[in-house]
């Protein structure tokens, strides 16, 4: 049996295990029954792929989604591992190849969709081929109460009994109920060896912002990450479409996705996102399960998620390859109202509803946190020893003030109007605005009328939003959303407790300035990274596989930074295993070493000048659109001297670009070039 560490570096090209992997690999390779709970991006697949290579016979992998299975199989084959999938999506040739490999006794991993287990023939087949172990990916699909339930997962227990082989189950789902259900359904209640990895995802940057022109906030966030794959989660289906449109107008490749689309369109969208480099998908939470893309660079929430668990799961889709990834979650009083009313108006029994309010409160606590987000988030999952330095509040501590008096004034305005009004009217009372509504109801004679003039309307809005966030007040659905005080506010009202509030970032947000594009590497390595990505894209397109199947972003970043000059040095890059070295090593070495020497003379003239960077960004934008936004048009590009001229344009507009580039090129690249120029 070859050692795990040797296989790790020879086959997968990784020089070290991720935290927790080694113990799991060891237990699985020993033939123990295992339940491993690891965060998304923790590297679960390796925990059964590696043992599969260490053990004799075939490892059967049950995985819920055909497209993802095929990608995993492709990735394994690229690494030189004999793997195959039996799915309804197979061509007859693919199925034959799997059978041949089985017959020759070579196949190490056989991927199957759970539906396949329903066919009477499957069991007999699996008995014949010498299965030595079962691995179950996304094991929480066995849970009848979760939204990913797959009835056919219930057949896995029977499969394990029939074959009488060890089973290793993997999931990223944290909650205890689901874990218990997995043990019950997959292991007949016999507790397996369990591994629970910490929940921290140190490479993901956490940030929240109060809504203030939310569309512009999202567009700016995306503009600063142009060309990187991202997800924008929205609260409604309609918004996914309008926001995707707005992003396209901003020069991004963007598509929408929601549960109301028919199954085929959803599949096409999932596929495009998986395969294409740098695409943005604007989606409802229906988007996620079909996604196994390790190089998603950012996740933004245009609306507040429904709970802290949902938040964690959604942001967790970013940065599975371990390279830096960023998130931004927007929230405002309307989100809080909406989420509360969804819980109150839902059909769940009362104790469940109160637990749901608790989960929402935990998320709001995170949104309104006064110090490190990561501490707050992981604290919720029971982890206390955390280091961060990678969240907005570690970057720039919140400005806080003693909000006790403000909160008491607001509460008093609520109570004196018998908790029948929303924030808008209450703020008018505090500010002493004589509106019709105030005059009609005689609220100008209340003692609280006009006592809050030390703050303006926006500041009071921020106070009310934070009071909702701290669950001091809640909208009451029975009173059309009028705010009512909760018991949590009593100590403040009675002057027994104080409260710190954030001075809102709203005033300093300055959302109208277009942010500069952030690069994943230093400015000096950026052009090389683009060239490496272009090479990867060409190979991936030729092989019709997602780009990361060739190399992940992380691997390319390391290449761009370390600039290996020969195959030995190339082998030392994380993610370059023996097979990939043999297949792609030379090609990428050429890009690296060629790119250093063979700078286009036109570009060389711009070296060291701002226009040089702009030139590279234009090249990048051009590469993205080489075959049009949909990737299906005729290839088209501009000459180096055209690009150099664009890069040096002082005042750019669509007309000037068209004069320079001609109609066809202006049509394809104009918007994207203008976006580059206005960000420069
Ligand atoms: P999960 O299923 O837990 O979300 P994956 O198994 O898809 O995660 O792994 C996520 C990414 O991390 C993949 O790109 C994988 O190649 C990479 N990876 C896994 N283990 C390691 C390791 N030990 N070193 C470097 N990269 C790793
Ligand atoms: Zn932090």
């Amino acid at each position: 049996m070859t050692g795990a560490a040797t296989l790790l570096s020879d086959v997968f090209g990784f020089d070290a295990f991720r935290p927790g992997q080694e113990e799991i690999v060891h237990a699985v390779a020993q033939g123990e029954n295992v339940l491993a709970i690891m965060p998304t991006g923790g590297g679960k697949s390796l925990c059964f792929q590696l043992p599969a290579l260490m053990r004799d016979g075939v490892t059967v992998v049950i995985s819920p989604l055909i497209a993802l299975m095929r990608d995993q199989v492709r990735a394994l084959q690229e690494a030189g591992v004999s793997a195959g999938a039996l799915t309804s999506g197979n061509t007859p040739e693919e199925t034959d190849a799997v059978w041949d490999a089985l017959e020759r006794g070579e196949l190490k991993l056989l991927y199957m969709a759970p539906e396949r287990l329903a066919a009477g023939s499957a069991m007999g087949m699996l008995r014949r081929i010498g299965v030595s172990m079962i691995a179950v990916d996304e094991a929480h699909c066995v849970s009848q109460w979760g939204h990913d339930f797959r009835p056919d997962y219930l057949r896995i227990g029977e499969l394990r009994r029939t074959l009488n082989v060890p089973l290793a189950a993997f999931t990223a789902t944290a909650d205890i109920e689901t874990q218990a259900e997995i043990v019950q359904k997959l292991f007949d209640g016999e507790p397996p060896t369990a591994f629970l990895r910490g929940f921290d995802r140190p490479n993901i940057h956490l940030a929240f912002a109060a809504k203030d022109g939310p569309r512009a906030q999202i567009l700016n966030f995306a503009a600063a990450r142009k060309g990187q794959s991202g997800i924008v989660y929205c609260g409604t289906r309609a918004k996914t479409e309008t926001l995707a449109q707005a992003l396209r107008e901003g020069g991004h490749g963007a598509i929408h996705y929601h549960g109301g689309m028919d199954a085929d369109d959803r599949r096409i969208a999932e596929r495009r996102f998986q395969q294409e480099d740098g695409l943005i998908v604007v989606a409802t939470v229906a988007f996620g399960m079909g996604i196994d893309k390790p190089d998603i660079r950012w996740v933004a929430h245009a609306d507040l998620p429904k709970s802290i668990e949902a938040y964690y799961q959604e942001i967790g889709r970013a940065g599975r390859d371990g390279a830096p990834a960023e998130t931004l979650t927007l929230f405002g009083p309307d989100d809080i109202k909406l989420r509360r009313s969804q819980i109150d108006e839902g059909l769940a029994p009362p104790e469940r509803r109160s637990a749901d309010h608790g989960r929402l409160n935990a998320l709001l606590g995170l949104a309104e946190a006064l110090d490190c987000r990561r501490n707050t988030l992981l604290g919720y999952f029971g982890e206390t020893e955390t280091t961060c330095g990678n969240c907005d509040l570690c970057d720039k501590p919140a400005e806080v003030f003693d909000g006790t008096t403000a909160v008491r004034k607001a509460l008093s305005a609520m109570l004196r109007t018998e908790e029948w009004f929303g924030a808008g009217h209450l703020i008018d009372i505090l500010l002493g605005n004589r509106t019709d509504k105030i005059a009609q109801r005689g609220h100008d004679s209340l003692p609280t009328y006009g006592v809050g003039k030390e703050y303006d309307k926006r500041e009071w809005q921020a106070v009310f939003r934070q009071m909702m966030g701290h669950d001091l007040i809640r909208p009451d659905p029975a009173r059309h959303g009028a705010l009512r005080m909760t018991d949590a506010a009593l100590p403040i009202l009675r002057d027994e407790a104080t409260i710190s509030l954030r001075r809102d970032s709203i005033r300093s947000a300055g959302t109208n300035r277009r942010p500069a594009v952030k690069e994943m590497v230093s400015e000096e390595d950026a052009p090389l990274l683009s060239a490496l990505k272009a090479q990867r894209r060409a190979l991936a397109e030729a092989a019709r596989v997602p780009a990361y199947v060739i190399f992940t972003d992380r691997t390319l970043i390391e290449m761009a930074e370390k600039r290996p000059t020969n195959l030995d040095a190339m082998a030392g890059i994380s993610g370059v295993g023996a097979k990939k070295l043999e297949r792609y090593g030379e090609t990428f070495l050429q890009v690296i070493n060629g790119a250093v020497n063979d700078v286009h003379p036109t570009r060389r003239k711009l070296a060291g000048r701002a226009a040089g960077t702009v030139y590279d960004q234009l090249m990048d934008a051009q590469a993205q659109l080489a075959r049009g936004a949909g990737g299906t048009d005729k290839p088209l590009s501009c000459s180096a001297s055209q690009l150099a001229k664009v890069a040096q344009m002082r005042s750019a507009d669509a007309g000037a670009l068209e004069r320079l580039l001609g109609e066809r090129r202006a049509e394809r690249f104009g918007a994207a070039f203008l976006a580059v120029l206005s960000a420069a």
Side-chain angles (χ1 to χ4, degrees), residues 8 12-19 21 38-49 72 137-138 170-172 201 292-295 316 319-322 548 552 554-555 574-575 580:
L8 181 70
F12 297 94
F14 301 140
D15 41 12
F17 284 107
R18 292 243 179 101
Q21 281 181 326
M38 285 173 104
T40 310
K44 284 184 280 298
S45 327
L46 197 88
C47 296
F48 56 83
Q49 291 169 346
Q72 279 215 6
D137 206 0
E138 314 287 356
F170 298 85
T171 178
R201 302 282 308 284
D292 190 19
K293 194 174 161 70
D295 52 359
R320 291 165 63 157
D321 55 5
Y548 67 82
T552 63
R554 197 186 189 180
T555 300
S574 173
K580 288 195 181 175

Side-chain angles (χ1 to χ4, degrees), residues 148-200:
D148 293 332
F149 177 53
R150 294 291 182 116
D152 288 311
Y153 262 61
L154 295 173
R155 299 177 190 277
I156 299 173
E158 189 196 335
L159 177 69
R160 186 186 64 83
R161 274 191 304 270
T162 313
L163 298 177
N164 193 22
V165 294
L167 185 146
F170 298 85
T171 178
T173 301
D175 72 78
I176 311 282
E177 292 93 340
T178 311
Q179 291 168 27
E181 231 183 320
I182 294 174
V183 173
Q184 198 54 48
K185 303 271 171 51
L186 296 186
F187 299 98
D188 294 322
E190 288 267 323
T193 311
F195 296 88
L196 179 63
R197 280 307 314 159
F199 290 98
D200 194 13

